[in-house]
Amino acid sequence: MTSPPHDAPPPTAPTTSLVGAAVLDSLHLSPAAVHSAPASAAPAATPTMPRDSMSSLNSSFANVSFGIGPEPRADERTRLLYTHAANSTLANAHVRALATNPNDLLNPNDPKIKEDIIRMIIQYLSNNGYHAAKLTLQDEANVRHFEHQETQHELRRLRKAIVDGDWAEVDRLLLAKPLHRHQKAFLYALYKQQYLESIEHHELHKAFTFLNKRLKPLEAYQTTPDEFRDLCYLLTAKSIHDAPSFRNWDGIGPGRERLVEQLQSMMDLDETGVLGTGGARDNVYVPPNRLVTLLQQAVAHQVEAARYHPKSTPRVGTLLEDYSTVVLPNATRHVLRGHEENVKGVAFVGNAGKWIASASSDHTARVWDTEAGGGRVVGGACGKDLGRAANRAGTQVATVSGDASVRLWDLHRLHDSAGAASADGTGNGAPVAETEPAETAVPCVSVLKNHAAGDLYTVQYHPGSAAHIATGGYDKQVRLTDVSSGQVVKSFAGHQLSVTSVAFSPMGNVIVSGSKDSTIRFWDVLSGLCVRTLTSHLGEVTGVALSPSGTYLLSASKDNSNRLWDTRMMPRPLRRFKGHTNTAKNFVRASFAGAGDGMLVVGGSEDGAVYVWDRDSGAVVQRLRGHAGIVYDVRWCQRQQLLVSCSEDATVRTWHYDESVPVCPDEGALTARW
């Protein structure tokens, strides 16, 4: 595809507005450094950073402690990376499948589960001396120990008064403070007992008054439909046993005892969901250190469910993210064939990554089974398919094409027939699968045309939901579109040439865009304002990507470099990744990979190789060869721990770690540097 000429110089950076300052703060950007260096300036060296920032940048890989120092040399980091990447072995696919549906194993909305979680937290706080926090948690969970003790004291007095027939004391205790949320039902039973005792004692006038003033207002709480009618009948009956509802009446004493039992049962039931009160539920045995034990079991399950198992026991350093092994893909897993022309874009579908979506210049997009390697035709467009994206749930794919349209494809049918096309069916590192996709079309549910005529190059779903997408292309604008209505919610104008790539911040409040005008722009989604412009690249920006936390920005450019930016310390990049080739009229992109906040950087190249760099040192740690043409795009799936790439050779490849292949491509050269 021929790039339009640079018909306008890059614009100057706008002044940061109040709205822009707020957005920059949410992204850790400093408003004091809004303007970046001029485009003609030479690339800057890595800036001096505060000690705590440098320590953060050079922390241990992801959530595994490797025992490295705060500022390791590039060679040391590379050797450590190879060592720990080789310390993995392939896991069982069945165990991994269990981890994909955790709600089938444990329902977090189960009230009993919620109660158990609170109980374990209370135990943990108590064991570690956080007594104030424990009391606060008990209070917020409606656990008030002293109130309960007072209630228990009043309950004992109430039981004694009922057994003794001291109805004046009973009325005083019940009317002074309600003891139960269903007290009216108990009052009806209580008044019924008093009424029956009056009938038993032949105090008919007192019984008649009691019936009208006490029982009649509570008639709705009768235990049988005819009970209140039978109570009225007792005023003229010879004996209580003459009324059908009271044929089993066994006297005043047993009646009072049953009333006390009813009160106790009611109070016990009310305490079922209360913790820390000494009630019935509080007698549940909580094993020592139960919360810590469960967390250890959860981490052990994550280790077991990972695609690759460590050969030695790992050291987990955080619970804020799932455990994952350090993986350096070193071999082709599947070669996915079916496209007839170059494949310009590829992505894993959803967070689970069970499917792979690809877009090609042959006017089609395809969806492939990640495990088996088989695929389905998504559909054709009026122009060349140039980009694709999927929502997090993996139920919808969006593609953009040369006719300025966005097409949305429903993938629900694929989930119902997963595994229909399979090369080996195991997904456990079988030999390279040369697959032909089944010609089964996936339905297109919507066609959106909100851009002016020309190619669309990029599309991304909003990270919070699948309700909005951001698109960019030849008309120089980024547009935010409501998927359900098809209406443009916001347009972002400011680029002087085509928009080549867009990315959302993790919170979805900022859109980052790259353009052929060599600039990168940050847009506030709510106001539509550009809050920052980066102009350091000397060539067209072909791709932008944000790390999972939004701390790092990665940009790819035709100035033959991929650049890493710390969004808290711009406008100068942290480092440049070199070794690949990106200078011609192609969209060669890069993205983050690996555990944690993207410990690796992966990207394509015009020399036909997939490049893998260490993010914190900039060293090339892997060159994956296999494609027979330009590699346009490379993506990583943390859940699958696989790479996928697309190429000019009309194929899509997945890459995995093969224990039989050396993880270090040139161990001799590395040793020589030591």
Side-chain angles (χ1 to χ4, degrees):
M1 183 178 300
T2 304
S3 302
H6 288 262
D7 49 8
T12 58
T15 302
T16 304
S17 64
L18 292 177
V19 175
V23 175
L24 292 175
D25 182 66
S26 70
L27 268 178
H28 313 293
L29 309 181
S30 172
V34 168
H35 301 294
S36 50
S40 59
T46 302
T48 302
M49 296 182 289
R51 185 178 184 85
D52 57 346
S53 298
M54 181 63 78
S55 298
S56 174
L57 288 172
N58 291 286
S59 61
S60 300
F61 293 121
N63 53 354
V64 183
S65 175
F66 294 154
I68 60 177
E71 297 184 11
R73 303 197 321 271
D75 287 353
E76 182 183 356
R77 287 188 57 86
T78 303
R79 176 175 287 279
L80 285 168
L81 188 59
Y82 289 144
T83 300
H84 290 280
N87 187 35
S88 300
T89 185
L90 196 61
N92 182 277
H94 172 69
V95 176
R96 293 183 57 248
L98 291 177
T100 61
N101 299 304
N103 286 346
D104 293 345
L105 301 172
L106 179 72
N107 180 11
N109 296 317
D110 186 335
K112 176 63 170 60
I113 297 299
K114 290 183 177 181
E115 179 183 307
D116 289 346
I117 292 173
I118 295 297
R119 184 174 283 109
M120 288 187 295
I121 293 175
I122 289 175
Q123 182 194 60
Y124 179 83
L125 293 174
S126 179
N127 290 345
N128 289 275
Y130 296 101
H131 300 296
K134 169 192 170 183
L135 293 175
T136 301
L137 178 58
Q138 287 178 334
D139 185 62
E140 297 220 355
N142 293 324
V143 182
R144 297 177 176 88
H145 183 65
F146 295 108
E147 289 184 5
H148 175 75
Q149 285 184 330
E150 182 181 350
T151 300
Q152 288 296 311
H153 176 66
E154 293 178 352
L155 185 60
R156 286 192 295 270
R157 294 173 59 188
L158 180 60
R159 286 198 298 262
K160 184 178 185 302
I162 292 174
V163 172
D164 294 343
D166 188 353
W167 304 119
E169 177 70 6
V170 170
D171 287 344
R172 189 189 69 80
L173 290 172
L174 289 177
L175 296 178
K177 178 182 178 182
L179 296 178
H180 194 272
R181 61 180 182 274
H182 299 308
Q183 183 160 306
K184 287 186 177 181
F186 179 70
L187 283 176
Y188 175 82
L190 184 68
Y191 294 156
K192 181 176 65 175
Q193 174 68 23
Q194 296 180 50
Y195 175 80
L196 292 175
E197 290 187 15
S198 297
I199 295 294
E200 185 79 8
H201 294 146
H202 302 288
E203 299 173 345
L204 299 183
H205 180 73
K206 179 180 179 181
F208 178 76
T209 304
F210 206 87
L211 181 69
N212 284 323
K213 291 186 177 181
R214 297 288 185 96
L215 285 170
K216 179 61 178 176
L218 300 174
E219 181 182 356
Y221 295 96
Q222 60 183 334
T223 56
T224 64
D226 298 329
E227 185 177 72
F228 188 79
R229 185 188 65 182
D230 289 344
L231 288 173
C232 296
Y233 170 70
L234 289 178
L235 291 171
T236 59
K238 294 182 180 180
S239 170
I240 293 178
H241 299 93
D242 291 344
S245 298
F246 304 102
R247 285 175 181 170
N248 297 323
W249 165 258
D250 50 4
I252 294 176
R256 292 176 180 177
E257 291 176 0
R258 280 197 304 273
L259 195 60
V260 169
E261 292 174 359
Q262 179 181 347
L263 174 64
Q264 188 61 52
S265 298
M266 184 175 64
M267 298 302 293
D268 287 344
L269 181 63
D270 191 44
E271 291 175 4
T272 297
V274 180
L275 307 178
T277 63
R281 288 296 298 152
D282 221 41
N283 292 326
V284 174
Y285 172 67
V286 181
N289 301 313
R290 183 59 180 162
L291 181 60
V292 174
T293 301
L294 281 181
L295 291 175
Q296 291 171 338
Q297 292 173 351
V299 172
H301 174 71
Q302 290 179 2
V303 174
E304 185 69 19
R307 179 179 292 274
Y308 300 99
H309 289 171
K311 295 178 181 178
S312 59
T313 303
R315 173 71 64 179
V316 174
T318 179
L319 294 175
L320 301 183
E321 59 188 39
D322 288 348
Y323 167 84
S324 61
T325 50
V326 177
V327 176
L328 266 182
N330 60 353
T332 298
R333 186 164 186 263
H334 288 148
V335 179
L336 310 177
R337 304 184 186 277
H339 285 297
E340 297 178 357
E341 295 186 32
N342 53 42
V343 184
K344 291 293 184 70
V346 68
F348 284 96
V349 176
N351 290 337
K354 294 181 179 180
W355 303 90
I356 296 169
S358 60
S360 170
S361 297
D362 64 3
H363 304 265
T364 68
R366 294 175 182 263
V367 173
W368 313 84
D369 187 322
T370 301
E371 288 292 342
R376 308 281 184 93
V377 179
V378 172
C382 298
K384 295 181 178 180
D385 278 346
L386 302 174
R388 74 289 144 267
N391 62 1
R392 288 192 170 187
T395 57
Q396 192 176 83
V397 166
T399 60
V400 293
S401 65
D403 63 348
S405 69
V406 182
R407 284 172 166 78
L408 306 179
W409 311 89
D410 184 7
L411 301 187
H412 284 92
R413 187 179 301 175
L414 292 182
H415 292 277
D416 296 335
S417 58
S422 176
D424 59 70
T426 65
N428 277 330
V432 176
E434 306 284 347
T435 63
E436 290 290 338
E439 300 297 320
T440 304
V442 173
C444 176
V445 294
S446 183
V447 179
L448 310 176
K449 288 196 174 185
N450 295 322
H451 284 264
D455 293 344
L456 291 186
Y457 299 126
T458 181
V459 59
Q460 286 294 329
Y461 278 90
H462 190 280
S465 68
H468 296 88
I469 56 174
T471 53
Y474 188 76
D475 65 359
K476 310 173 188 177
Q477 293 194 11
V478 177
R479 296 185 187 271
L480 185 67
T481 303
D482 186 308
V483 170
S484 59
S485 67
Q487 298 299 312
V488 175
V489 177
K490 193 83 67 177
S491 294
F492 308 89
H495 283 296
Q496 302 302 304
L497 293 173
S498 302
V499 177
T500 59
S501 182
V502 294
F504 278 100
S505 66
M507 297 296 293
N509 61 330
V510 172
I511 297 175
V512 183
S513 62
S515 170
K516 290 185 177 181
D517 63 11
S518 303
T519 67
I520 301 169
R521 288 179 177 261
F522 292 75
W523 309 91
D524 173 27
V525 170
L526 292 180
S527 68
L529 298 177
C530 178
V531 296
R532 160 154 265 159
T533 302
L534 302 178
T535 59
S536 293
H537 277 294
L538 304 179
E540 298 177 5
V541 177
T542 57
V544 291
L546 285 164
S547 65
S549 71
T551 302
Y552 298 105
L553 169 69
L554 180 66
S555 59
S557 171
K558 291 183 181 179
D559 61 9
N560 217 32
S561 72
N562 298 326
R563 302 193 183 195
L564 180 72
W565 313 76
D566 187 329
T567 57
R568 304 162 296 184
M569 301 174 60
M570 292 192 290
R572 296 182 180 274
L574 287 175
R575 61 186 51 84
R576 293 191 293 174
F577 303 97
K578 295 184 176 181
H580 67 300
T581 306
N582 182 13
T583 57
K585 300 176 181 179
N586 300 294
F587 282 174
V588 175
R589 295 183 167 113
S591 60
F592 289 99
D597 201 22
M599 59 179 290
L600 300 174
V601 170
V602 295
S605 176
E606 292 169 1
D607 63 7
V610 173
Y611 281 76
V612 183
W613 293 270
D614 174 26
R615 184 198 68 194
D616 290 343
S617 70
V620 176
V621 295
Q622 201 71 272
R623 291 182 183 87
L624 303 175
R625 300 193 178 274
H627 284 294
I630 299 169
V631 177
Y632 293 110
D633 202 358
V634 185
R635 296 300 176 98
W636 167 260
C637 179
Q638 182 62 25
R639 180 72 63 84
Q640 298 291 335
Q641 295 194 300
L642 295 173
L643 276 180
V644 64
S645 60
C646 61
S647 170
E648 184 184 33
D649 63 8
T651 67
V652 174
R653 285 178 179 256
T654 58
W655 307 84
H656 70 143
Y657 169 65
D658 186 345
E659 292 182 73
S660 64
V661 178
V663 69
C664 178
D666 191 358
E667 183 68 31
L670 184 64
T671 303
R673 292 200 301 269
W674 277 69

